[in-house]
Amino acid sequence: MSAELAVAGLHTGYGSSIVLRDISFEVPTGAVVCVMGRNGSGKTTLLRALMGVLPIQGSVHLGDRDITNWPGHRIHAAGMAWVPQEDAVFASLTVRQHLEIALGAADVDEGIAAAAGLFPILGERLDQPAQTLSGGERKMLGIAQALVVRPRVVLMDEPTEGVGPLIVEQLVAAIARIAARTAVVLVEQNIDTAIALGSQAHVIEHGSIVESGDIGDLHDRGILEQRLAL
Amino acid sequence: MTFSAALGFLPTDSFNVVALIAVFVLVAVGLHFTFGLLDVVNLAHGEFLLIGAYTTYQVHDTTGSVVLGMVLGPLVAALVGLVIERGVLRFLYDRPLDSLLATFGLAVIIRQTVQLIYSANPRLVPDPIGGSFTIAGLNVPWWRLIVVAIAVAVVALVATLFSKTRFGLEAQATVRNATLAETSGVSTAAVRAWLFAIGAGIAGLAGSVLAPLNTLDPQYGLLFLVNSFLVVILGGKASLRGLVIAAVVLGGSLAILQFVISTVIAQIVVLVIAVGGVRVRPILTQLIAEHRERRAVSIE
């Protein structure tokens, strides 16, 4: 199976401090690959680096295109989208405006209908500023904004963190539906959620991948629990 | 009794107050782009006025047409702004003190270059229309009326740009969260470059249309620098409406006070109003928000 996303020998950091070392992994078509690790291990930094926010050494390929160190908007146009952990919305812009920004030249009506299909509550809140949405609705908006352009790969940074159980259920169901047509890189602390959604997992410790494999297998051998110190 | 006579202390050319307010608005709208939106403490703002004004002077001197100069003035200022943004400032958005220093240096370079080419002798640009008319005892020079119309048109255009266009939406996203905007598909580098060029161009336009009202010299831009910062800070950095209100309050105060007291004292009073205004604004904003909330509740 061909890889939608291939990362090889990636090093990155902030200024002179190196955060990630020699990260290599692939995301096959239709797979949900979980990136796990304790707080501060570099998971969020990895997604930021892949999205072009941080300069990197090494290489990143999206399909057969080398997108290493492209600016973020070109990476977005090439088919990779990002759901950041927090501040994933522009406070004073409406739901509709968020979707319009992501859609660019694409068909806005069709995109908005697709977003409302994924999260019906957003369809009712199209003209509301993002700052008036609940925490869960903002998460939905972040995901919808990433997905309306039908990316090849979507990077999600703890999409279920900090929201109530009911919303988590909706988000997990939505991500499962997305995964049927889009490759997903999922940063997730919750092992149950990761197992429910993911097929493979990579565990990062101190900026390096220390375990990789089938997520069910890693779980059965107790490695996830041990590495995440639960 | 006429309007101006009723005000007693104002002479018949009190329309100058309105024109001065318009100039305040125009200069401040330019700074709204570079400082208000892009957060660059742009000490070269006055020099973009200077570029607009001297371009108008030069074009008139060469071709005899003031109007052509006024078309080219803003374009040249915008082009210089674009070059400065791409060449220097884009590397400094996360380094506010460095960008302050850079714009200060650029301001000195531009000012000295103008002095080198045109000397420090005052230059004149003729009024492209000339003449005036009288309405209700008020003497209204045609050119000043046009300056007011241009300021109103620029504010309307800028408001439309932000509320109705794709570029406006991308600019709002970039200003609020550049990382998120970039990774959502917005070329934030292009948006910032355009914002800076537009800000510089509007400053150039202000310099051009003002040229027939003042004598030009290389210090010309400095006159407006402090006042335009006062207007943008008092009006709230990201608010076009607040900026227009602040320009009317400060420009109006300065213009009226200049009739009754010396310019220096008038400027001091305006500074006091600005400082007091910055102190009072959050309280006013709070009161307005509470009032709106009460009204919304009572409507429900």
Side-chain angles (χ1 to χ4, degrees):
Chain A
M1 202 175 346
S2 69
E4 286 292 331
L5 178 69
V7 181
L10 180 145
H11 292 252
T12 191
Y14 298 89
S16 59
S17 75
I18 303 288
V19 178
L20 293 173
R21 281 180 197 82
D22 199 22
I23 301 284
S24 300
F25 67 97
E26 291 193 349
V27 182
T29 307
V32 177
V33 172
C34 294
V35 175
M36 307 183 78
R38 293 181 198 156
N39 285 335
S41 57
K43 308 182 297 290
T44 294
T45 302
L46 174 61
L47 299 197
R48 291 170 70 86
L50 293 178
M51 212 53 217
V53 179
L54 296 170
I56 63 165
Q57 290 171 2
S59 75
V60 181
H61 282 80
L62 189 63
D64 48 17
R65 290 164 101 172
D66 184 349
I67 60 163
T68 310
N69 287 322
W70 279 19
H73 71 277
R74 284 188 62 203
I75 293 177
H76 183 266
M80 188 147 75
W82 178 40
V83 184
Q85 190 174 4
E86 48 206 22
D87 292 325
V89 294
F90 306 102
S92 60
L93 299 189
T94 65
V95 170
R96 187 191 302 276
Q97 286 176 317
H98 278 80
L99 300 173
E100 283 174 0
I101 286 171
L103 283 162
D107 187 330
V108 171
D109 291 336
E110 193 183 305
I112 287 174
L118 191 63
F119 297 115
I121 190 79
L122 291 182
E124 296 167 21
R125 307 237 188 286
L126 283 178
D127 294 312
Q128 260 180 248
Q131 63 200 356
T132 65
L133 302 178
S134 71
E137 287 162 0
R138 284 188 214 193
K139 291 270 187 192
M140 291 176 191
L141 177 56
I143 295 172
Q145 195 187 8
L147 290 169
V148 279
V149 287
R150 296 184 161 266
R152 298 175 71 155
V153 177
V154 60
L155 314 175
M156 293 193 182
D157 198 347
E158 305 208 32
T160 63
E161 192 212 17
V163 292
L166 265 177
I167 305 283
V168 170
E169 223 170 83
Q170 284 184 53
L171 292 175
V172 169
I175 295 167
R177 266 165 61 200
I178 295 156
R181 59 164 198 265
T182 304
V184 180
V185 177
L186 179 68
V187 165
E188 184 57 65
Q189 296 264 43
N190 184 312
I191 294 181
D192 293 335
T193 308
I195 291 169
L197 291 169
S199 44
Q200 297 168 36
H202 302 281
V203 181
I204 298 186
E205 249 178 46
H206 302 303
S208 300
I209 292 180
V210 290
E211 301 282 355
S212 294
D214 179 85
I215 191 164
D217 181 48
L218 290 174
H219 174 57
D220 291 343
R221 286 157 52 204
I223 290 172
L224 290 182
E225 289 74 3
Q226 183 197 335
R227 288 289 186 182
L228 299 175
L230 295 173
Chain B
M1 189 183 276
T2 62
F3 171 71
S4 55
L7 286 173
F9 63 91
L10 291 183
T12 52
D13 54 353
S14 56
F15 186 76
N16 290 1
V17 173
V18 182
L20 191 71
I21 290 173
V23 170
F24 254 68
V25 170
L26 212 49
V27 179
V29 168
L31 195 63
H32 170 68
F33 281 80
T34 55
F35 171 58
L37 298 177
L38 290 176
D39 246 343
V40 174
V41 181
N42 178 17
L43 296 184
H45 188 61
E47 276 56 43
F48 291 116
L49 251 90
L50 195 65
I51 292 171
Y54 272 88
T55 302
T56 307
Y57 167 79
Q58 182 62 59
V59 171
H60 171 256
D61 201 44
T62 313
T63 68
S65 167
V66 182
V67 173
L68 180 63
M70 286 177 180
V71 173
L72 292 178
L75 292 178
V76 172
L79 191 66
V80 173
L82 188 66
V83 170
I84 287 176
E85 198 278 344
R86 287 288 83 193
V88 181
L89 294 175
R90 72 174 160 132
F91 305 107
L92 305 177
Y93 282 117
D94 299 328
R95 293 153 58 187
L97 286 178
D98 293 348
S99 68
L100 182 149
L101 192 67
T103 56
F104 176 75
L106 289 162
V108 173
I109 293 170
I110 294 171
R111 209 155 55 233
Q112 295 302 328
T113 307
V114 168
Q115 182 154 346
L116 217 59
I117 301 171
Y118 297 99
S119 84
N121 297 334
R123 307 280 168 168
L124 289 171
V125 172
D127 187 328
I129 301 177
S132 62
F133 63 96
T134 306
I135 183 163
L138 210 67
N139 180 41
V140 180
W142 280 107
W143 182 245
R144 285 180 197 257
L145 183 65
I146 286 173
V147 170
V148 173
I150 289 172
V152 171
V154 166
V155 170
L157 276 175
V158 169
T160 308
L161 178 74
F162 284 113
S163 62
K164 296 273 192 283
T165 68
R166 166 95 200 153
F167 173 78
L169 188 58
E170 292 190 348
Q172 290 186 61
T174 301
V175 168
R176 279 169 182 79
N177 186 337
T179 301
L180 184 60
E182 176 76 31
T183 55
S184 300
V186 175
S187 172
T188 53
V191 167
R192 282 170 162 161
W194 276 110
L195 285 176
F196 199 89
I198 294 170
I202 293 174
L205 176 67
S208 291
V209 300
L210 228 117
L213 305 178
N214 277 307
T215 51
L216 302 186
D217 68 65
Q219 309 297 317
Y220 181 75
L222 286 176
L223 291 172
F224 298 95
L225 182 67
V226 173
N227 283 326
S228 55
F229 267 97
L230 288 182
V231 168
V232 176
I233 292 170
L234 181 62
K237 277 177 66 192
S239 159
L240 191 63
R241 188 191 303 163
L243 178 138
V244 172
I245 294 170
V248 171
V249 170
L250 291 183
S253 311
L254 185 63
I256 292 170
L257 288 169
Q258 276 177 0
F259 279 115
V260 285
I261 48 179
S262 78
T263 308
V264 175
I265 308 264
Q267 183 64 61
I268 291 174
V269 175
V270 165
L271 277 166
V272 171
I273 293 174
V275 172
V278 170
R279 175 76 190 83
V280 173
R281 200 190 55 210
I283 303 169
L284 278 178
T285 313
Q286 176 78 22
L287 285 176
I288 292 169
E290 280 171 12
H291 173 73
R292 279 192 184 148
E293 221 163 84
R294 270 201 305 276
R295 211 175 48 184
V297 169
S298 67
I299 288 169
E300 278 172 21

